Amino acid sequence: MPTRSTDPLTLEVVELIGTVVARYHEEYEQAAAQHSLTGAQARVLGLLALEPTPMRRIAQSLRCEPSNVTGIVDRLETRGLVERRPDPADRRVKIAAATDEGRATARRLRDALGFAREPLAALSDEERTALRDLLRRMLGEDAGA
């Protein structure tokens, strides 16, 4: 008898998740390229458009080395999309923050990601809520968060 991790339904769900991830990354890279950004630059800009963030925390979010983040932020700063400033809580720490142009570019990037928007819009509020809660549960997050 197959184990739960190798039963046909589980394998199909894993395959579908992989397909969704691949399509998301493909569309994200295309949207980034339209703004002359790499995917990594677009991801950093997206994070910084939400809130100013210490460089080390950006590296943790992206699961990469802080030196990689430094290079990415350098290139974004050269383009006027990001600025560095001292952290008000600890002036020894530098935080990166999106500029007005950076936030506008991040918004345009988000708006360009349409592959899931229409299929999700076709789901009812209850179905989208259930999907969100299941995804959170898969990630080990509290479904009520």
Side-chain angles (χ1 to χ4, degrees):
M1 176 162 199
T3 64
R4 212 162 151 65
S5 63
T6 58
D7 68 85
L9 179 58
T10 298
L11 292 174
E12 182 181 5
V13 170
V14 168
E15 184 66 28
L16 289 168
I17 290 171
T19 301
V20 167
V21 169
R23 283 189 191 169
Y24 175 81
H25 281 293
E26 182 180 319
E27 191 165 312
Y28 200 84
E29 293 290 332
Q30 288 173 356
Q34 289 173 353
H35 294 279
S36 302
L37 297 170
T38 65
Q41 290 170 341
R43 283 188 290 281
V44 169
L45 185 59
L47 285 172
L48 296 178
L50 298 173
E51 66 177 333
T53 306
M55 305 283 274
R56 187 162 302 282
R57 193 156 33 121
I58 297 168
Q60 290 168 343
S61 294
L62 297 178
R63 293 178 173 81
C64 69
E65 291 295 316
S67 60
N68 292 344
V69 171
T70 299
I72 292 168
V73 170
D74 285 347
R75 288 184 288 283
L76 291 171
E77 190 173 34
T78 298
R79 292 194 44 197
L81 301 173
V82 166
E83 63 185 9
R84 286 181 174 92
R85 46 175 101 134
D87 185 338
D90 183 349
R91 297 193 60 77
R92 296 169 296 174
V93 175
K94 290 286 185 196
I95 60 173
T99 62
D100 289 342
E101 180 59 29
R103 282 187 294 280
T105 300
R107 190 171 35 257
R108 287 191 298 274
L109 278 165
R110 251 190 333 273
D111 291 346
L113 299 175
F115 93 89
R117 194 172 297 127
E118 286 182 34
L120 285 172
L123 299 176
S124 69
D125 285 346
E126 293 81 17
E127 289 169 324
R128 286 195 308 273
T129 299
L131 178 58
R132 179 205 60 202
D133 292 348
L134 288 169
L135 290 170
R136 283 181 175 172
R137 201 164 132 200
M138 283 181 67
L139 293 171
E141 298 174 6
D142 178 27

